[in-house]
Amino acid sequence: SAVISQKPSRDICQRGTSLTIQCQVDSQVTMMFWYRQQPGQSLTLIATANQGSEATYESGFVIDKFPISRPNLTFSTLTVSNMSPEDSSIYLCSVGTSGTQETQYFGPGTRLLVL
Amino acid sequence: SQQGEEDPQALSIQEGENATMNCSYKTSINNLQWYRQNSGRGLVHLILIRSNEREKHSGRLRVTLDTSKKSSSLLITASRAADTASYFCATDPMNTGFQKLVFGTGTRLLVSP
Protein backbone atom coordinates (compact mmCIF):
# COMPACT_ATOMS: atom_id res chain seq x y z
CA SER A 1 0.00 0.00 0.00
CA ALA A 2 0.97 3.67 -0.24
CA VAL A 3 0.61 6.49 2.27
CA ILE A 4 -0.53 9.71 0.68
CA SER A 5 -0.71 13.18 2.18
CA GLN A 6 -2.33 16.29 0.79
CA LYS A 7 -1.86 19.94 1.61
CA PRO A 8 -3.83 21.94 2.46
CA SER A 9 -6.53 19.79 4.04
CA ARG A 10 -9.05 22.58 3.55
CA ASP A 11 -9.17 26.17 2.43
CA ILE A 12 -11.58 29.02 1.89
CA CYS A 13 -10.72 31.17 -1.09
CA GLN A 14 -12.08 34.24 -2.84
CA ARG A 15 -13.35 34.01 -6.39
CA GLY A 16 -10.79 34.89 -9.02
CA THR A 17 -7.86 33.57 -7.03
CA SER A 18 -5.91 30.33 -7.51
CA LEU A 19 -5.03 27.52 -5.12
CA THR A 20 -2.31 24.92 -5.48
CA ILE A 21 -2.87 21.54 -3.84
CA GLN A 22 0.07 19.28 -3.09
CA CYS A 23 0.09 15.50 -3.07
CA GLN A 24 2.99 13.58 -1.54
CA VAL A 25 3.43 9.80 -1.62
CA ASP A 26 5.72 7.81 0.63
CA SER A 27 7.01 5.65 -2.23
CA GLN A 28 7.71 5.99 -5.92
CA VAL A 29 4.62 5.36 -8.01
CA THR A 30 4.03 5.32 -11.72
CA MET A 31 0.45 6.55 -11.90
CA MET A 32 -0.98 9.55 -10.08
CA PHE A 33 -4.50 10.84 -10.58
CA TRP A 34 -6.50 13.87 -9.56
CA TYR A 35 -10.25 13.66 -8.86
CA ARG A 36 -12.93 16.17 -8.04
CA GLN A 37 -15.89 15.42 -5.78
CA GLN A 38 -18.55 18.08 -5.86
CA PRO A 39 -20.81 18.42 -2.80
CA GLY A 40 -22.91 15.31 -2.33
CA GLN A 41 -21.65 13.81 -5.57
CA SER A 42 -19.38 11.02 -6.69
CA LEU A 43 -15.79 11.33 -7.86
CA THR A 44 -14.87 12.52 -11.33
CA LEU A 45 -11.41 12.06 -12.78
CA ILE A 46 -9.79 15.36 -13.72
CA ALA A 47 -6.50 14.14 -15.14
CA THR A 48 -3.68 11.65 -15.00
CA ALA A 49 -0.42 13.20 -13.84
CA ASN A 50 2.46 11.82 -15.88
CA GLN A 51 5.99 12.09 -14.57
CA GLY A 52 8.18 14.09 -16.91
CA SER A 53 5.42 14.99 -19.35
CA GLU A 54 2.18 16.91 -19.55
CA ALA A 55 -0.87 15.64 -17.72
CA THR A 56 -3.63 13.87 -19.63
CA TYR A 57 -6.97 15.59 -19.06
CA GLU A 58 -10.43 14.08 -19.17
CA SER A 59 -13.28 15.52 -21.15
CA GLY A 60 -14.52 18.72 -19.59
CA PHE A 61 -11.25 19.60 -17.88
CA VAL A 62 -8.55 21.81 -19.41
CA ILE A 63 -4.97 22.61 -18.54
CA ASP A 64 -5.56 26.35 -18.25
CA LYS A 65 -8.07 25.78 -15.47
CA PHE A 66 -6.35 22.86 -13.74
CA PRO A 67 -2.61 22.97 -14.40
CA ILE A 68 -0.81 19.94 -12.99
CA SER A 69 2.84 19.32 -12.25
CA ARG A 70 4.56 15.99 -11.65
CA PRO A 71 8.25 16.72 -11.09
CA ASN A 72 9.12 13.26 -9.73
CA LEU A 73 7.64 9.87 -8.85
CA THR A 74 6.48 10.88 -5.35
CA PHE A 75 4.94 14.33 -5.77
CA SER A 76 2.33 16.18 -7.78
CA THR A 77 0.45 19.45 -7.60
CA LEU A 78 -2.95 20.51 -8.90
CA THR A 79 -3.77 24.19 -9.26
CA VAL A 80 -7.36 25.36 -9.40
CA SER A 81 -7.14 28.63 -11.34
CA ASN A 82 -9.38 31.67 -11.44
CA MET A 83 -11.75 30.05 -9.00
CA SER A 84 -15.51 30.48 -8.90
CA PRO A 85 -18.03 29.13 -6.37
CA GLU A 86 -18.68 26.21 -8.74
CA ASP A 87 -15.14 25.00 -7.98
CA SER A 88 -16.10 24.32 -4.37
CA SER A 89 -15.37 20.62 -4.04
CA ILE A 90 -13.16 18.04 -2.45
CA TYR A 91 -10.07 17.43 -4.55
CA LEU A 92 -8.40 14.05 -4.12
CA CYS A 93 -5.21 12.63 -5.46
CA SER A 94 -4.69 8.93 -5.85
CA VAL A 95 -1.90 6.63 -6.90
CA GLY A 96 -2.09 3.47 -8.89
CA THR A 97 0.06 0.41 -8.55
CA SER A 98 1.53 -1.32 -11.53
CA GLY A 99 1.81 -4.96 -12.26
CA THR A 100 -0.96 -7.25 -11.15
CA GLN A 101 -2.35 -4.96 -8.48
CA GLU A 102 -4.93 -2.56 -9.80
CA THR A 103 -5.91 -0.91 -6.54
CA GLN A 104 -5.78 2.85 -6.23
CA TYR A 105 -4.87 4.48 -2.93
CA PHE A 106 -6.36 7.86 -2.14
CA GLY A 107 -5.14 10.85 -0.22
CA PRO A 108 -7.33 12.40 2.50
CA GLY A 109 -8.58 15.09 0.13
CA THR A 110 -8.55 18.89 0.10
CA ARG A 111 -11.87 20.52 0.90
CA LEU A 112 -12.15 23.79 -1.02
CA LEU A 113 -14.80 26.45 -0.51
CA VAL A 114 -14.86 29.38 -2.91
CA LEU A 115 -16.78 32.46 -1.86
CA SER B 1 -21.94 9.98 -18.92
CA GLN B 2 -20.26 6.67 -18.25
CA GLN B 3 -20.81 6.99 -14.52
CA GLY B 4 -22.24 3.94 -12.84
CA GLU B 5 -25.44 3.94 -10.86
CA GLU B 6 -25.80 2.68 -7.32
CA ASP B 7 -28.87 1.85 -5.34
CA PRO B 8 -30.14 2.54 -2.91
CA GLN B 9 -28.90 6.13 -2.66
CA ALA B 10 -29.26 5.87 1.11
CA LEU B 11 -29.70 2.96 3.48
CA SER B 12 -30.49 3.04 7.17
CA ILE B 13 -30.23 -0.13 9.27
CA GLN B 14 -29.68 -1.31 12.83
CA GLU B 15 -26.45 -2.76 14.13
CA GLY B 16 -26.23 -6.48 13.47
CA GLU B 17 -28.32 -6.33 10.30
CA ASN B 18 -26.93 -6.94 6.84
CA ALA B 19 -26.54 -4.16 4.29
CA THR B 20 -26.72 -4.75 0.54
CA MET B 21 -25.73 -2.18 -2.06
CA ASN B 22 -26.02 -2.58 -5.80
CA CYS B 23 -23.99 -1.10 -8.62
CA SER B 24 -24.71 -1.05 -12.33
CA TYR B 25 -22.26 0.07 -14.98
CA LYS B 26 -22.28 0.65 -18.72
CA THR B 27 -19.17 -0.71 -20.40
CA SER B 28 -17.01 -3.81 -20.45
CA ILE B 29 -14.57 -3.79 -17.58
CA ASN B 30 -11.24 -5.21 -16.41
CA ASN B 31 -12.31 -5.15 -12.78
CA LEU B 32 -14.73 -3.56 -10.33
CA GLN B 33 -13.74 -2.14 -6.98
CA TRP B 34 -15.59 -0.99 -3.90
CA TYR B 35 -14.44 1.95 -1.79
CA ARG B 36 -15.63 3.48 1.47
CA GLN B 37 -15.60 7.18 2.29
CA ASN B 38 -16.12 8.50 5.80
CA SER B 39 -17.62 12.00 6.09
CA GLY B 40 -16.19 13.45 2.87
CA ARG B 41 -12.66 12.31 3.58
CA GLY B 42 -10.34 10.13 1.53
CA LEU B 43 -11.45 6.84 0.07
CA VAL B 44 -10.48 3.49 1.52
CA HIS B 45 -10.20 0.53 -0.81
CA LEU B 46 -12.35 -2.39 0.32
CA ILE B 47 -12.25 -5.10 -2.31
CA LEU B 48 -11.50 -5.70 -5.98
CA ILE B 49 -13.19 -8.30 -8.18
CA ARG B 50 -11.90 -9.08 -11.65
CA SER B 51 -14.12 -9.53 -14.67
CA ASN B 52 -13.55 -13.30 -14.70
CA GLU B 53 -14.61 -13.67 -11.05
CA ARG B 54 -18.20 -14.03 -9.85
CA GLU B 55 -17.89 -13.73 -6.10
CA LYS B 56 -15.31 -12.61 -3.58
CA HIS B 57 -15.16 -12.43 0.19
CA SER B 58 -13.14 -10.33 2.58
CA GLY B 59 -14.04 -10.53 6.26
CA ARG B 60 -17.64 -9.33 6.59
CA LEU B 61 -17.74 -8.21 2.96
CA ARG B 62 -19.11 -10.23 0.08
CA VAL B 63 -19.03 -8.93 -3.46
CA THR B 64 -20.69 -10.45 -6.49
CA LEU B 65 -20.21 -9.55 -10.12
CA ASP B 66 -22.48 -10.36 -13.05
CA THR B 67 -20.81 -9.14 -16.23
CA SER B 68 -23.76 -10.23 -18.39
CA LYS B 69 -25.99 -7.81 -16.48
CA LYS B 70 -23.19 -5.30 -15.89
CA SER B 71 -23.95 -5.25 -12.21
CA SER B 72 -22.33 -5.89 -8.85
CA SER B 73 -23.47 -6.07 -5.26
CA LEU B 74 -21.72 -5.44 -1.97
CA LEU B 75 -23.02 -7.20 1.13
CA ILE B 76 -21.86 -6.17 4.58
CA THR B 77 -22.86 -8.73 7.16
CA ALA B 78 -23.42 -8.10 10.87
CA SER B 79 -23.09 -4.35 10.41
CA ARG B 80 -21.59 -2.07 13.05
CA ALA B 81 -21.99 1.61 13.76
CA ALA B 82 -18.44 2.08 12.47
CA ASP B 83 -19.63 0.92 9.03
CA THR B 84 -21.53 4.20 8.67
CA ALA B 85 -20.05 5.78 5.55
CA SER B 86 -20.61 6.30 1.85
CA TYR B 87 -19.79 3.35 -0.38
CA PHE B 88 -18.77 3.70 -4.01
CA CYS B 89 -18.26 1.17 -6.72
CA ALA B 90 -15.61 1.98 -9.31
CA THR B 91 -15.02 0.26 -12.61
CA ASP B 92 -11.81 -0.02 -14.57
CA PRO B 93 -13.21 0.04 -18.11
CA MET B 94 -11.52 -1.82 -20.92
CA ASN B 95 -9.71 0.21 -23.56
CA THR B 96 -9.74 3.55 -21.74
CA GLY B 97 -6.26 3.64 -20.33
CA PHE B 98 -4.50 2.22 -17.35
CA GLN B 99 -6.55 2.39 -14.12
CA LYS B 100 -8.84 5.22 -15.18
CA LEU B 101 -11.57 4.46 -12.70
CA VAL B 102 -15.21 5.41 -13.26
CA PHE B 103 -17.07 5.83 -9.99
CA GLY B 104 -20.68 5.11 -9.25
CA THR B 105 -23.05 7.55 -7.63
CA GLY B 106 -22.57 6.07 -4.15
CA THR B 107 -24.73 4.70 -1.35
CA ARG B 108 -24.88 6.46 2.02
CA LEU B 109 -25.11 3.85 4.76
CA LEU B 110 -26.22 4.72 8.27
CA VAL B 111 -25.90 2.02 10.92
CA SER B 112 -27.64 2.87 14.17
CA PRO B 113 -26.62 1.34 17.50
Side-chain angles (χ1 to χ4, degrees), chain B residues 52-66:
Chain B
N52 62 352
E53 298 176 312
R54 292 297 168 258
E55 187 170 314
K56 205 161 184 180
H57 297 255
S58 176
R60 295 184 295 113
L61 306 180
R62 171 177 169 256
V63 169
T64 63
L65 179 64
D66 187 335

Side-chain angles (χ1 to χ4, degrees), chain A residues 17-33:
Chain A
T17 63
S18 298
L19 176 72
T20 296
I21 301 167
Q22 299 179 7
C23 178
Q24 179 76 53
V25 189
D26 68 342
S27 58
Q28 293 186 340
V29 294
T30 305
M31 311 296 292
M32 293 184 78
F33 305 91

Side-chain angles (χ1 to χ4, degrees), chain A residues 59-109:
Chain A
S59 176
F61 298 96
V62 295
I63 188 171
D64 289 347
K65 177 67 176 177
F66 298 101
I68 288 170
S69 77
R70 178 90 192 270
N72 56 53
L73 293 175
T74 64
F75 186 78
S76 178
T77 67
L78 168 77
T79 298
V80 186
S81 303
N82 188 25
M83 288 184 285
S84 67
E86 291 71 35
D87 294 319
S88 298
S89 297
I90 300 172
Y91 292 86
L92 300 107
C93 70
S94 74
V95 302
T97 53
S98 59
T100 59
Q101 296 184 23
E102 302 97 323
T103 302
Q104 284 191 23
Y105 299 95
F106 282 80

